[in-house]
Amino acid sequence: MGKSDTATPRERYRAQVRTEIKEHAWQQIATAGASALSLNAIAKQMGVSGPALYRYFAGRDELITELIRDAYRSLADTLGAAAAEGADLSGLAHDLRGWALADPHRYFLLYGTPVPGYHAPDDTTAISSEIMATLLTACAALVPEAQAAQAATEAPFAAHLEKHRAWAGDHPAPPAALHLAMSFWTRMHGVLSLELAGHFTGMGFDPDRLFAAELDALLP
């Protein structure tokens, strides 16, 4: 029996209102960006008073945190499910791109310009770490032990990452896999951010082909 099956009518109503508030919030973000998010404006759209909405979210920052949690959870579940079905790093890359293209505003809330004055709580970082762990596992599967050992001694940045791996948590990936994961993360997000921001518009090439070419250049 799921949690929703045991919830009281009051709890179900509260959940419905919170969902409606978040839907209006996403609409605001799509129109004016996350920095312009306003609970009072959402209250007006819903036909209720501003103070009424504060019974569901204590303020703008709590609402943004909930949206970020939802977005990270969505991406973590998307990549986690793909990995469980056998997707390799290439497959995960295309799933990442598909997720980003499906909702650019959700993508930019996570990987775009930080919202001024907002600081995400630690639990959002924990969810994002799931995403990185999935990618690290895929990267480690692509790096043979001999290559991993060689990279540790011959690739300066891989050796650097071996000593500066807080971003990887407790994942046991070898230096070469750390290097691959970091390169994947920066280059794939670089292409995605430029594409979603419209910087390729009018340039006359297919961004999908650029993404694929950058991915091919990364793969061992």
Side-chain angles (χ1 to χ4, degrees):
M1 182 178 292
K3 183 178 180 181
S4 60
D5 297 326
T6 60
T8 66
R10 181 176 181 178
E11 290 171 336
R12 288 196 295 270
Y13 176 75
R14 179 177 177 82
Q16 291 170 359
V17 174
R18 283 173 62 88
T19 296
E20 184 177 355
I21 292 171
K22 288 191 286 185
E23 289 172 352
H24 283 287
W26 282 120
Q27 292 171 8
Q28 277 195 14
I29 290 173
T31 301
S35 60
L37 195 61
S38 166
L39 280 176
N40 287 330
I42 293 173
K44 185 176 181 179
Q45 290 176 321
M46 294 177 64
V48 299
S49 66
L53 255 65
Y54 285 90
R55 294 200 296 268
Y56 300 95
F57 291 99
R60 183 206 68 159
D61 284 6
E62 183 178 319
L63 176 55
I64 291 176
T65 294
E66 187 74 4
L67 297 177
I68 289 175
R69 285 194 188 108
D70 287 352
Y72 270 135
R73 185 74 272 151
S74 174
L75 181 55
D77 289 349
T78 295
L79 298 184
E85 293 176 0
D88 58 9
L89 187 62
S90 179
L92 294 178
H94 289 291
D95 285 333
L96 169 62
R97 183 169 185 267
W99 183 90
L101 291 176
D103 193 338
H105 303 292
R106 178 178 58 179
Y107 174 87
F108 279 124
L109 183 63
L110 298 184
Y111 301 113
T113 304
V115 179
Y118 172 77
H119 299 285
D122 291 341
D123 69 317
T124 59
T125 303
I127 303 174
S128 68
S129 295
E130 290 182 38
I131 298 169
M132 185 57 73
T134 298
L135 296 177
L136 281 166
T137 297
C139 289
L142 288 174
V143 181
E145 288 187 19
Q147 182 182 343
Q150 181 180 12
T153 59
E154 296 183 3
F157 188 60
H160 172 79
L161 288 177
E162 174 65 7
K163 297 179 180 178
H164 300 82
R165 55 186 300 153
W167 58 276
D170 58 0
H171 198 285
L178 295 176
H179 192 178
L180 178 58
M182 183 63 73
S183 297
F184 174 94
W185 198 239
T186 54
R187 289 173 68 171
M188 296 298 95
H189 279 300
V191 175
L192 278 173
S193 295
L194 288 170
E195 178 183 3
L196 295 176
H199 292 294
F200 297 152
T201 302
M203 293 183 71
F205 67 87
D206 184 352
D208 184 47
R209 289 179 176 269
L210 172 62
F211 187 87
E214 288 295 292
L215 178 59
D216 286 344
L218 276 172
L219 297 177

